[in-house]
Each structure stands twice: as C-alpha cells, then as structure tokens.
Amino acid sequence: MTALAPVLEAFFTERLAQRRASPHTVASYRDTFCLLLRYALERLGKPPSRLDFTDLDAPFIGAFLRYLEAERGNSIATRNNRLTAIHSLFSYAALRCPEHAALTSRVLAIPSKRADTTLVSFLTPAETAALLAAPDRGTWIGRRDHVLLLVAVQTGLRVSELTGVNCGDVALGAGANLGCHGKGRKQRCTPLTRATARILADWLRERDSQPADPLFPARTGGRLSTDAVADLLARHATSAARQCPSLSRKKITPHTLRHTAAMNLLHAGVDTSTIALWLGHAGTNATQVYLHADLALKEAALARTAPPDARRVRYRPPDHLRAFLEGL
C-alpha cells in the first residue's frame, strides 16, 4: 500500500474528527475524493490503493478541476469547494509526508477560480404573504409547513439549522427567541416577534413532545431532510404563484427565505453588523451583498441628488476678506 491511502484514511478519522467537522463538511470532502479517485482510475488506470502522491501532482489536480467544469458541468463554486477539500488533505499530508513537500506546496498553490457575483434573490412583502398563506392550515402537514416557512422568513435560519431545531430550543414569554446550532459549531439565539412566538406556542401545544424532539418533524416523526424542506417550499411557491404571479418568475429555495429575512432587517434600518450577527455570519463581508441587492436604498440615494434640471444660480464673487482667509 502506498502512502496516500493511510494518509487519506487518517485525514477523515483523525484530522476531521479532531476539528469536529460537521457532517455536511465530511460528506462534501468524501464526495470530492470519491470523484478524484474515480477520475484517477479512468485516466491512470490505477486503483485507489495503488495511487501515490506523485500521481496527484499539481498538473493532475488542475486537469481534474477542468474536468469538473467541462465534463461534469459543475459550477465555479462547486469547483472551488472541491479544491478546498483537496487543499485541506494536502495541508495535512505536508505534516505526515515531508518527503513530498515540494509536490504538496505546488498543489496548495493552485488558486480558487473567481466567479461573477450575482444579486441575491428575495421575496417582497406581498410575495411573502402569498407564500405563507399557501399551506392548508386545516391539516397537520399544512400547519407544520406554515410554521416552518414563517420561522424561516422571520429568523433567517439556514435550512440545515431549521431541520436541526428541537422543541426545547424555543424560548417563549418575555424575550422570546429560538436557539440553534449553526455553521462552524456556533450556538446562537434569534429573537422572535410576538406574532411568530404566538404561532409557535400553538404549534408546541399541538406537538406535545419532548424537548429533544424535532420542532418540524416528518410524517414518521423523524427529522425532515433538507431536500424535503426544498420540496415543500417549491410546492407551496407554485401554489402561491396563482395568487401572486411574480413568484413564478423567481427561483425560490430555502436560502431565498434567508435572504428575505436579511432584506427585511435592512429595510427596517438595521445595520449590517447586526444583520451579520443575526444570520450567524463570521463577518460583515458576507452581508454586503444585501446592500448591493437593495434597489430601494439606491433609489433613495438617487432622490437625494440634485435633478439635472436644477435652477442655475448666477455666480457672485466672494467677499474680498473672506476670499483672503479661505486662500490661506
């Protein structure tokens, strides 16, 4: 067996375990190396157990990244995510296999690819109201979906955070809030409006469950998957589009509801630092995209500028003494 196999195994069992990587990170890295090993088998004719680091040099990794875009049709963001996983492995390998220092440094020098920045998609108040009215609240599933969509729009939780929320994470009464285990293993609490807290209280009474039970369960009582949330959102968005046609022109995903929460805060005059804390961002850079997407702010700035047909004022020379002082 070559050095690559034990290092790759230790990378998952030791490095990622020590760093307490999330299941999503582990799954993403696993998929990356499954693709890389399959690509190496097709191009080099070597099974994974016979591959060595010398086979995975910088030109080979570069060819693999081009294959992801050209043949698999992956986006630049996906390509960069795969490269991040490869960089993480080679950073670990640099400590375990110093004899390959030159090779690992060249792989680590492969840069991420820059992509065009697209404006975020969010819902207007009318579109939000139509979406929240779409679930049939005469049924248990409809009530669950309504509460889930309302919480998503008001709190801006990520879809993985929504599916991970338990009944015991809801704190009602004065200072009502919803706790969650966020990205990067960070705990945070998001305040709830009175209306949202009231609806959540009714839902909890109906659930009548233990604190460790999921707040938004599937029909079987287990947790909803992220795909299930995306499916129910798409179904209700299609239904709501019959009442609000503008919804049919938007691609609505669970992240759209997160963007909507951020834009609602921005329109309410909340500063970007607070929005970053609300959404669980590591810094304010990720929050700046909402400023670029907010056309209302740009229109307000335009309204404050002088119109092109402003009345012209005849020039008058300044007072001699004032001109002398200003010239100093």
Side-chain angles (χ1 to χ4, degrees), residues 13-326:
T13 59
E14 296 178 11
R15 181 63 168 259
L16 296 185
Q18 290 172 353
R19 294 194 170 187
R20 297 175 58 196
S22 70
H24 297 287
T25 299
V26 174
S28 176
Y29 284 18
R30 175 205 62 204
D31 294 343
T32 296
F33 294 115
C34 285
L35 286 170
L36 179 60
L37 295 178
R38 190 179 307 129
Y39 177 80
L41 178 61
E42 294 174 356
R43 296 300 191 276
L44 304 177
K46 288 186 177 182
S49 59
R50 290 180 54 200
L51 284 174
D52 204 347
F53 282 104
T54 53
D55 297 314
L56 306 183
D57 55 8
F60 184 84
I61 297 299
F64 170 68
L65 297 174
R66 290 190 293 273
Y67 156 80
L68 293 178
E69 288 189 79
E71 298 187 34
R72 288 185 59 85
N74 291 155
S75 66
I76 293 177
T78 300
R79 178 258 190 206
N80 289 340
N81 286 337
R82 302 301 186 203
L83 179 59
T84 298
I86 294 170
H87 278 171
S88 185
L89 171 65
F90 276 77
S91 295
Y92 178 66
L95 303 174
R96 295 284 300 264
C97 304
E99 66 273 15
H100 295 302
L103 184 148
T104 55
S105 64
R106 285 192 290 269
V107 172
L108 292 173
I110 298 175
S112 295
K113 193 171 183 179
R114 300 191 65 177
D116 294 335
T117 302
T118 58
L119 292 179
V120 298
S121 175
F122 61 95
L123 304 183
T124 65
E127 292 168 344
T128 301
L131 179 64
L132 294 178
D136 179 11
R137 279 178 273 178
T139 65
W140 181 87
I141 292 294
R143 290 191 293 275
R144 180 205 64 186
D145 292 356
H146 173 73
V147 179
L148 186 151
L149 295 176
L150 177 64
V151 169
V153 168
Q154 199 251 284
T155 63
L157 294 184
R158 300 176 179 89
V159 63
S160 59
E161 296 167 348
L162 274 174
T163 57
V165 170
N166 296 325
C167 293
D169 294 326
V170 182
L172 300 175
N177 64 83
L178 182 63
C180 75
H181 189 77
K183 188 177 181 181
R185 303 182 298 278
K186 289 181 288 188
Q187 296 278 354
R188 75 178 189 278
C189 293
T190 305
L192 299 172
T193 64
R194 291 182 180 179
T196 303
R198 189 165 51 249
I199 292 175
L200 265 175
D202 294 339
W203 174 245
L204 285 173
R205 280 193 293 270
E206 181 176 355
R207 287 279 290 122
D208 190 24
S209 300
Q210 298 300 315
D213 291 338
L215 182 61
F216 305 115
R219 293 177 185 270
T220 58
R223 293 191 185 277
L224 285 171
S225 67
T226 56
D227 289 339
V229 174
D231 289 342
L232 70 86
L233 174 59
R235 185 173 67 254
H236 293 311
T238 300
S239 175
R242 291 193 283 269
Q243 302 298 325
C244 186
S246 62
L247 284 169
S248 61
R249 298 191 291 271
K250 293 183 176 181
K251 181 181 179 182
I252 302 175
T253 67
H255 222 65
T256 305
L257 305 185
R258 179 170 166 83
H259 293 326
T260 301
M263 295 303 293
N264 289 341
L265 291 171
L266 189 63
H267 290 157
V270 179
D271 63 274
T272 55
S273 297
T274 303
I275 296 175
L277 290 173
W278 187 291
L279 298 180
H281 286 161
T284 58
N285 288 340
T287 315
Q288 298 301 317
V289 295
Y290 301 114
L291 292 174
H292 294 290
D294 191 2
L295 187 60
L297 284 180
K298 297 173 183 176
E299 290 175 343
L302 180 64
R304 291 195 293 269
T305 62
D309 57 348
R311 185 173 62 88
R312 287 181 290 182
V313 180
R314 182 180 178 83
Y315 171 77
R316 296 182 182 278
D319 180 82
H320 175 73
L321 180 58
R322 199 173 100 189
F324 167 75
L325 295 175
E326 291 177 352

